[in-house]
């Protein structure tokens, strides 16, 4: 027998036996071109038109120099993509063949062998198309044309009788940040941004699975597993759940089958800081007469989540209960980690979420102006015990509510809830980012001269979309225990007093209002879901802004182009003058700007944590960057920890000892976020000079039980220190348990950094190994900054005299530079 015929025969047999298979068309040879032109160029799928233009050296890298300005023409053009692929006789014999587009950005037309199959208009939807009738044996031609999202949005905007803010972005269902933000470039993409697949199946297939928890005890977890199955004809089938057989009857078409499943002696999924995020694999197999038709796997975690809002004497609570226990949410806000989303790797997702875990976070908010992230993001959150506050992709604008738009959004929500709901990390669905506040507080109605009827229509549209369509779509597809919904974040704007007494809060009096950092001590909300301050990125990220030799100068046009907030440098400078000596040298300025950012966020976090349980959550803005930029992030675009992330790791520890000064009296707060409690807790205090000389040692006789938070009064310390020599002293605090083990430790300085009377430290670095060093100093070295192309296990920290600190490096360095705050003051 001819070998090729034998291979084809075996292939057909395997295919029929398997009953289902898939091919990834992303790996075929793709081409693209401007719709106005004739020449085709090579393309990558998944990808974007910008990446393809760069790869073909048609445009420069928009992240470098001022190139972003030079490539704005791309958003106004239409683009075409094409490929060919072969279909074998065996493949065409399958009963069903579907062409699946997991992501098309955004207004597209799909042609197969010249036949228009579908028009699309939503970047966030999955587009499955039955194509058996249009395929042929041998070569097939697939073509996708993309219309300019900007031009399409402008046409849609004309249908509304009044001007909508942020038009045309709010009319198009694509990532809103691509239109430019105050931390991101304007790069409005087009293209096939997710995989393209051919799915072959016979008789029946599993379309979707959702897992609903009914009862969880120490003895067992009772689940309902709902499988959505498409069948070619009526008949008897079997569904196996982890090899347990369930016989079922299917009708032709769509079926939803609910089956019970029990996990004995379940291990709970616990958030970071409370225990292990235990996961279970559920294997679901659809069979007929012992022949496997379709398989699917889900990794689940067994846990309960509640959002608790109860009226009290101060307003209304806002906190989460996980597995029956109130949790203090510590975390951050997430934006897409690249402006070109197809190049966000699994490794980058894993690293950034691991960075959250290492900084003692337990929650991350996926901000509503970006994308519903890749499965790898949620997988990483599951594995690291990070709860996810998931916004739907609407941000800072008004949105239409015509029938077509609402129907589109409904399918988008169902797509994404079906895809994500089984992840144990998902804690909350939130309708949007800052739209309620935008309508009420931002003055758009006056700016665009709205009539009373226009204003009423905006609010009516808002209620229709976020109070009806989205929550109804969630309820339609989500398991009962996975449907917690919150209409808008924040629920009340930061200019209203109620924003501090109920709901979640975005407090921007610091930065936008230019109030001093200390205002955070007064403006403490029930749940802080957004607040922040800008800082420079690491020196490596700054240098990456340049295509040639970096011009490290604040007046550099390139550096100015990478500060997207119009008042950014002005605001940073004003705050820096308040708290630090403003350096003229760029490297020192970069360093101090990071210290400034870290100091502001430390004051905020500590104010929030001292207010527990009135405040039960603090999520700072923001974790990451989408390009090299001066921004609010704690980790820059290259993945380097800024001073803020190192500080967050200290401030978010499960046990901390915090200091507050009120009217000359010091109060110390011991805070515990773990489930375990500490008995016989006492506080040790030392007042020391910067040269290490001890002025006072006092051991608190208050032996208390540390459940969540306890307070110590130390007015005598403040009296002893006095006003005259506050700038020469610091307070060292050690919290010990009854076994004398250190629970928490911190230092407190009595004045602002610029007023400290620091001496030049003699910092010694001793090499322990190629990836470990030991640091020591003769006098206080404030805010030590280790400089080098490696990740230091700690950085931007205070080194006390007579003590040494060991630091590990992620990779060896020949030379390590070191700087301290003293260097910026002299």
């Amino acid at each position: 027998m001819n070998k090729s015929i034998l291979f084809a025969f075996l292939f057909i047999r395997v295919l029929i036996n398997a009953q289902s298979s898939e091919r990834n068309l992303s790996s075929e040879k793709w081409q693209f071109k401007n719709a106005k032109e004739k020449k085709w160029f090579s393309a990558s799928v998944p990808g974007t038109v910008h990446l393809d233009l760069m790869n073909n050296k048609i445009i420069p890298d928009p992240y470098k120099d001022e190139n972003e300005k030079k490539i704005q023409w791309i958003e106004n053009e239409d683009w075409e993509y094409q490929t060919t692929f072969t279909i074998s006789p065996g493949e065409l014999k399958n009963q069903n063949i579907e062409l699946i587009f997991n992501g098309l950005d955004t207004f597209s037309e799909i042609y197969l062998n010249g036949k228009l199959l579908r028009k699309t208009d939503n970047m966030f939807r999955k587009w499955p198309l039955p194509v058996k009738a249009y395929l042929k044996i041998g070569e097939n031609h697939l073509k996708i044309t993309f219309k300019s999202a900007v031009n399409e949005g402008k046409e849609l905007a004309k249908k509304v009788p009044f001007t909508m803010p942020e038009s045309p972005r709010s009319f198009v269902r694509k990532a809103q940040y691509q239109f430019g933000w105050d931390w991101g470039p304007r790069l409005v993409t087009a293209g096939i941004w997710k995989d393209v697949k051919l799915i072959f199946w016979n008789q029946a297939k599993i379309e979707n699975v959702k897992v609903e928890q009914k009862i969880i005890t120490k003895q067992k977890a009772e689940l309902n597993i709902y499988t959505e199955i498409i069948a070619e004809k009526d008949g008897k089938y079997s569904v196996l759940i982890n090899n347990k057989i369930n016989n079922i009857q299917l009708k032709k078409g769509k079926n939803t089958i609910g089956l019970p499943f029990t996990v004995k002696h379940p291990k709970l999924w616990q958030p970071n800081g409370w225990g292990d995020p235990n996961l279970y694999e559920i294997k679901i197999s659809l069979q007929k007469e012992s022949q496997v038709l379709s398989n699917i796997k889900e990794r689940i975690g067994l846990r309960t989540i509640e959002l608790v809002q109860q009226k009290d004497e101060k307003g209304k609570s806002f906190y989460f209960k996980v597995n029956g226990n109130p949790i203090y949410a510590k975390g951050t806000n997430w934006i897409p980690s690249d402006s070109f989303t197809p190049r966000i790797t699994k490794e980058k997702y894993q690293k950034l979420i691991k960075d959250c875990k290492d900084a003692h976070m337990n929650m991350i908010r996926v901000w509503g102006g970006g994308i519903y992230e890749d499965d790898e993001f949620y997988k990483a959150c599951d594995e690291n015990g990070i709860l996810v506050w998931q916004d739907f992709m609407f941000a800072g604008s008004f949105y239409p509510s015509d029938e077509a738009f609402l129907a589109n959004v409904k399918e988008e929500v169902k797509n994404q809830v079906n895809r994500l709901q089984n992840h144990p990390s998902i804690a909350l669905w939130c309708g949007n980012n800052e739209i309620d506040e935008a309508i009420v507080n931002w003055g758009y109605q006056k700016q665009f001269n709205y009539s009373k009827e226009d204003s009423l229509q905006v609010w009516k549209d808002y209620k229709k979309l976020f109070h009806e369509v989205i929550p109804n779509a969630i309820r339609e597809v989500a398991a009962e225990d996975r449907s917690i919904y919150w209409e808008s974040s924040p629920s009340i704007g930061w200019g209203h007093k109620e924003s501090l007494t109920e709901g979640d809060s975005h407090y921007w009096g610091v930065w936008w209002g230019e109030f001093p950092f200390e205002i955070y001590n007064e403006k403490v909300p029930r749940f802080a879901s957004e607040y922040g301050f800008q800082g420079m990125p690491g020196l490596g990220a700054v240098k990456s802004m340049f295509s040639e030799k970096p011009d490290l100068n604040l007046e550099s046009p390139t550096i100015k182009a990478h500060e997207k907030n119009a008042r950014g440098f002005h605001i940073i400078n004003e705050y820096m003058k308040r708290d630090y000596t403003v350096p003229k040298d760029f490297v020192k300025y970069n360093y101090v700007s990071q210290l400034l950012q870290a100091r502001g966020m430390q004051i905020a976090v500590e104010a929030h944590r001292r207010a527990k349980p009135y405040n039960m959550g603090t999520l700072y803005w923001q974790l990451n960057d989408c390009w090299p930029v001066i921004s609010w992030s704690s980790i820059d675009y290259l993945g380097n920890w800024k001073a803020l992330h190192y500080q967050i790791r200290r401030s978010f520890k499960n046990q901390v000892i915090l200091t507050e000064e009120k009217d000359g009296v010091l109060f110390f707060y011991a805070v515990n976020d773990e489930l375990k409690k500490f008995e016989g807790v006492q506080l040790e205090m030392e007042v020391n000079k910067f040269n290490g000389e001890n002025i006072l040692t006092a051991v608190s006789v208050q032996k208390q039980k540390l459940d969540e938070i306890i307070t110590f009064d130390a007015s005598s310390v403040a009296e002893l220190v006095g006003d005259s020599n506050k700038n020469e002293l610091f307070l060292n605090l050690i919290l010990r348990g009854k076994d004398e083990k250190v629970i928490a430790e911190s230092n407190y300085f009595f004045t602002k950094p610029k007023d400290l009377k620091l001496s030049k430290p003699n910092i010694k670095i001793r090499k322990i190994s190629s990836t470990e060093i030991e640091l020591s100093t003769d006098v206080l070295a404030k805010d030590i900054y280790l400089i080098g192309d490696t990740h230091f296990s700690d950085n931007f920290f205070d080194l006390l005299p007579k003590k040494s600190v060991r630091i590990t490096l992620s990779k060896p360095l020949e030379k390590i530079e070191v700087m301290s705050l003293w260097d910026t003051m002299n």
Side-chain angles (χ1 to χ4, degrees):
M1 185 182 285
N2 183 291
K3 283 186 178 179
S4 61
I5 296 172
L6 175 62
F7 175 80
F9 175 77
L10 290 173
F11 178 78
I12 294 166
R13 285 292 305 274
V14 168
L15 192 65
I16 292 171
N17 287 338
Q19 294 300 315
S20 66
S21 63
E22 69 174 48
R23 276 177 58 187
N24 192 339
L25 296 186
S26 304
S27 57
E28 302 290 341
K29 289 185 178 179
W30 286 86
Q31 296 176 308
F32 85 109
K33 72 178 183 70
N34 190 316
K36 293 177 182 174
E37 298 170 0
K38 293 182 178 179
K39 185 177 179 182
W40 291 88
F41 297 89
S42 63
S44 295
V45 172
T48 74
V49 68
H50 291 76
L51 292 176
D52 290 328
L53 289 166
M54 270 192 281
N55 291 337
N56 285 278
K57 302 191 183 328
I58 297 169
I59 63 167
D61 186 340
Y63 288 8
K64 295 189 180 296
D65 308 320
E66 297 178 81
N67 293 339
E68 178 204 353
K69 299 174 187 175
K70 300 175 184 177
I71 61 166
Q72 293 305 310
W73 58 272
I74 296 169
E75 69 180 38
N76 298 309
E77 301 295 315
D78 298 338
W79 301 92
E80 297 178 1
Y81 281 75
Q82 69 173 13
T83 191
T84 58
F85 60 94
T86 59
I87 289 291
S88 71
E91 286 175 316
L92 201 57
K93 283 183 179 179
N94 283 277
Q95 292 173 345
N96 298 278
I97 308 175
E98 289 180 303
L99 180 60
I100 309 285
F101 290 91
N102 284 307
L104 292 170
D105 180 13
T106 292
F107 294 93
S108 81
E109 294 180 352
I110 303 164
Y111 295 88
L112 180 58
N113 294 326
K115 172 73 176 178
L116 174 62
L117 300 184
R118 177 85 203 220
K119 293 183 179 182
T120 79
D121 56 0
N122 192 321
M123 176 180 178
F124 305 124
R125 283 176 62 182
K126 178 180 177 179
W127 302 97
L129 307 170
V131 293
K132 180 177 168 70
Y134 310 109
L135 289 169
K136 58 186 180 180
I137 296 169
E139 189 172 271
N140 291 262
H141 181 254
L142 179 60
K143 179 180 173 183
I144 302 98
T145 63
F146 292 93
K147 296 283 187 184
S148 159
V150 171
N151 294 337
E152 291 295 302
K154 287 176 181 176
E155 290 302 310
L156 291 168
K158 290 177 184 177
K159 297 178 182 179
V160 177
F162 49 86
T163 303
M164 296 269 267
E166 303 296 338
S167 183
R169 76 164 169 84
S170 53
F171 289 89
V172 299
R173 292 309 301 141
K174 75 186 263 90
Q176 303 284 275
Y177 80 111
Q178 294 179 353
F179 293 83
W181 225 266
D182 55 3
W183 38 257
R186 184 178 175 102
L187 295 167
V188 185
T189 61
I192 306 167
W193 76 290
K194 289 193 172 186
D195 276 332
V196 184
K197 293 183 178 180
L198 274 176
I199 307 293
F200 306 91
W201 62 277
N202 298 285
Q203 298 190 65
K205 69 161 183 170
I206 300 172
E207 186 80 355
N208 188 53
V209 169
K210 69 177 176 184
V211 181
E212 183 177 69
Q213 295 174 180
K214 300 304 290 182
I215 298 170
I216 299 180
T217 66
K218 288 183 179 180
Q219 288 72 38
K220 63 180 179 177
E222 293 183 4
L223 313 176
N224 278 340
I225 296 180
Y226 294 94
T227 54
E228 193 175 288
I229 300 171
I230 310 295
E232 277 289 295
K233 59 182 181 180
D234 297 355
K236 294 179 180 179
Y237 297 77
S238 298
V239 172
L240 280 69
I241 303 175
N242 286 4
N243 296 318
K244 182 184 175 184
I245 299 173
N246 300 270
N247 295 316
I248 60 170
Q249 180 75 32
L250 295 180
K251 65 182 186 205
K252 184 178 179 179
K254 184 177 175 181
N255 301 259
T256 300
I257 305 297
L259 297 168
F261 187 75
T262 300
V263 178
K264 293 180 180 178
H265 308 294
K267 293 181 179 179
L268 296 180
W269 183 92
Q270 294 284 16
N272 185 33
W274 276 13
D276 295 327
N278 295 295
L279 296 167
Y280 290 86
E281 188 171 85
I282 306 288
K283 296 177 183 177
I284 299 154
S285 176
L286 175 65
Q287 298 184 9
K288 186 171 179 62
E289 297 172 354
S290 299
Q291 189 177 46
V292 176
L293 305 181
S294 184
N295 282 316
I296 198 164
K297 289 181 185 177
E298 293 286 344
R299 275 209 318 171
I300 67 165
L302 304 172
R303 89 291 182 271
T304 62
I305 296 180
E306 305 167 63
L307 175 61
V308 181
Q309 296 185 84
Q310 293 176 336
K311 288 186 177 180
D312 54 31
E313 69 279 2
K314 294 179 180 177
K316 189 191 286 186
S317 68
F318 189 103
Y319 67 91
F320 294 90
K321 267 188 179 180
V322 179
N323 299 327
N325 297 300
I327 188 169
Y328 189 91
K330 295 175 293 192
T332 186
N333 285 256
W334 170 280
I335 65 168
S337 59
D338 206 299
S339 283
F340 304 127
T341 52
R343 68 179 180 192
I344 307 173
T345 63
K346 290 184 177 182
E347 291 75 19
K348 190 167 190 178
Y349 278 122
Q350 288 286 348
K351 181 194 176 297
L352 284 168
I353 298 304
K354 180 65 163 49
D355 290 340
C356 292
K357 179 182 180 181
D358 290 346
H360 309 291
M361 298 185 199
N362 57 29
M363 180 173 277
I364 193 166
R365 173 177 173 244
V366 179
W367 169 75
I371 61 172
Y372 305 95
E373 292 294 339
D374 186 82
D375 291 341
E376 192 69 23
F377 169 86
Y378 302 96
K379 177 175 176 283
C381 291
D382 292 344
E383 293 168 346
N384 288 283
I386 308 295
L387 294 160
V388 176
W389 170 311
Q390 178 67 55
D391 280 6
F392 289 101
M393 294 301 117
F394 302 88
S397 183
F398 301 169
Y399 287 84
S401 74
D402 58 272
E403 192 173 321
F405 187 85
L406 294 179
N408 198 355
V409 169
K410 180 181 179 180
E411 290 307 310
E412 170 190 325
V413 171
K414 287 165 67 176
N415 271 191
Q416 296 300 335
V417 173
N418 272 330
R419 179 172 74 96
L420 300 177
Q421 65 171 306
N422 292 333
H423 287 280
S425 53
I426 295 287
L428 176 81
W429 309 105
C430 179
N432 67 75
N433 172 77
E434 296 185 348
I435 296 178
D436 187 309
E437 181 174 6
I439 294 172
V440 175
N441 294 335
W442 291 2
Y444 282 135
Q445 293 89 334
K446 185 177 180 182
Q447 179 183 341
F448 295 116
N449 197 27
Y450 281 14
S451 66
K452 184 179 179 181
E453 290 73 22
D454 295 339
S455 296
L456 288 172
Q457 186 63 46
V458 166
W459 189 244
K460 184 180 176 184
D461 292 347
Y462 173 84
K463 298 276 279 188
K464 183 73 176 174
L465 181 55
F466 297 108
H467 289 245
E468 294 180 34
V469 171
I470 291 178
N472 288 343
I474 294 170
R475 282 191 287 269
E476 188 176 327
V477 297
E480 192 176 335
D481 61 314
R482 305 293 170 115
S483 58
I484 301 173
Y485 178 68
W486 187 241
E487 285 84 6
S488 184
S489 181
S491 46
I492 302 168
W494 64 267
H496 300 266
K497 66 176 193 258
E498 292 83 5
S499 69
L500 301 178
T501 61
E502 60 185 270
D504 71 314
S505 171
H506 294 190
Y507 180 70
W508 285 104
V510 171
W511 185 265
W512 289 112
E514 294 189 46
F515 293 116
F517 289 141
E518 288 72 20
I519 197 75
Y520 281 128
N521 294 318
E522 302 171 30
K523 304 292 186 179
V524 177
R526 305 310 290 257
F527 193 103
S529 52
E530 197 182 296
Y531 59 94
F533 193 86
Q534 279 196 357
M536 298 283 283
L539 291 172
V542 175
K543 291 174 182 176
S544 78
M545 299 173 184
F546 297 84
S547 57
E548 297 179 355
K549 186 179 179 181
D551 177 17
L552 298 184
N553 182 336
L554 287 174
E555 295 304 313
S556 161
T558 291
I559 290 177
K560 285 185 174 180
H562 289 73
E563 165 58 276
K564 285 300 186 178
N565 188 281
R567 294 171 55 235
F569 282 121
H570 163 77
I571 295 173
I572 291 171
N573 288 335
E574 287 302 306
Y575 275 87
M576 196 180 288
K577 280 189 265 184
R578 296 174 193 174
D579 288 4
Y580 291 88
T581 301
V582 181
K584 292 186 174 135
D585 172 77
F586 180 85
V587 173
K588 291 178 181 177
Y589 182 92
N590 178 286
Y591 160 58
V592 173
S593 85
Q594 291 195 46
L595 295 181
L596 178 70
Q597 181 190 28
R599 173 176 163 79
M601 296 303 92
Q602 179 184 4
I603 291 170
V605 169
E606 292 188 359
H608 297 157
R609 294 193 71 184
R610 288 197 309 264
K612 182 182 178 180
Y614 177 84
N615 170 280
M616 284 296 286
T618 182
L619 312 178
Y620 69 90
W621 182 269
Q622 68 208 57
L623 176 72
N624 54 327
D625 286 325
C626 65
W627 74 317
V629 64
I630 298 136
S631 82
W632 292 265
S633 71
S634 62
I635 300 176
D636 68 29
Y637 177 69
L638 298 186
N640 297 310
W641 289 22
K642 294 159 68 169
L644 172 55
H645 207 79
Y646 285 102
Q647 181 56 52
I648 284 294
R649 185 173 64 180
R650 297 176 202 118
S651 295
F652 275 179
K653 283 182 177 178
N654 261 0
Q655 291 81 36
V656 288
I657 179 72
L658 308 174
T659 305
E660 181 183 29
E661 185 174 347
K662 289 182 184 176
D663 302 322
V665 178
L666 290 180
F667 295 91
F668 305 118
Y669 301 79
V671 184
N672 174 33
D673 288 337
E674 270 189 77
L675 296 177
K676 80 172 184 179
K677 301 171 178 44
F678 295 85
E679 301 288 343
V681 172
Q682 65 181 20
L683 182 66
E684 295 178 8
M685 298 172 284
E686 284 186 354
V687 180
N688 298 316
K689 286 188 174 181
F690 293 164
N691 64 4
E693 183 184 342
N694 179 256
I695 300 297
L696 170 72
T697 299
V699 178
S700 169
V701 294
Q702 299 184 61
K703 292 197 172 185
Q704 300 187 35
K705 178 181 178 181
L706 179 53
D707 183 349
E708 290 190 345
I709 186 164
I710 53 178
T711 309
F712 299 92
D713 177 357
S715 52
S716 58
V717 176
E719 290 168 10
L720 180 73
V721 170
D723 291 326
S724 60
N725 55 353
K726 276 186 174 181
N727 53 9
E728 299 175 348
L729 303 172
F730 71 96
L731 190 59
N732 178 239
L733 303 168
I734 298 176
L735 191 71
R736 295 187 190 274
K738 65 179 181 179
D739 55 4
E740 296 299 311
K741 285 186 179 178
V742 175
I743 299 171
E745 187 173 3
S746 68
N747 299 318
Y748 176 75
F749 293 87
F750 297 93
T751 61
K752 291 187 174 185
K754 70 176 182 180
D755 297 322
L756 297 174
K757 285 190 177 179
L758 298 173
S759 302
K760 181 179 181 179
N762 178 24
I763 302 169
K764 293 181 179 178
I765 301 178
R766 185 169 72 91
K767 186 175 180 180
I768 306 293
S769 71
S770 62
T771 56
E772 188 175 16
I773 56 175
E774 183 179 77
L775 282 81
S776 59
T777 178
D778 55 342
V779 297
L780 172 72
K782 186 90 177 74
D783 298 315
I784 275 192
Y785 176 31
L786 299 169
I787 306 171
D789 182 22
T790 190
H791 176 74
F792 297 99
S793 60
D794 201 5
N795 211 345
F796 303 95
F797 59 90
D798 297 336
L799 183 58
L800 306 184
K802 303 174 186 175
K803 293 187 178 181
S804 62
V805 174
R806 288 197 176 189
I807 304 292
T808 57
L809 287 63
S810 61
K811 63 182 180 182
L813 275 186
E814 283 299 315
K815 183 184 177 186
I816 298 172
E817 295 182 60
V818 63
M819 187 185 296
S820 74
L821 188 62
W822 181 89
D823 295 295
T824 70
M825 302 167 78
N826 297 273

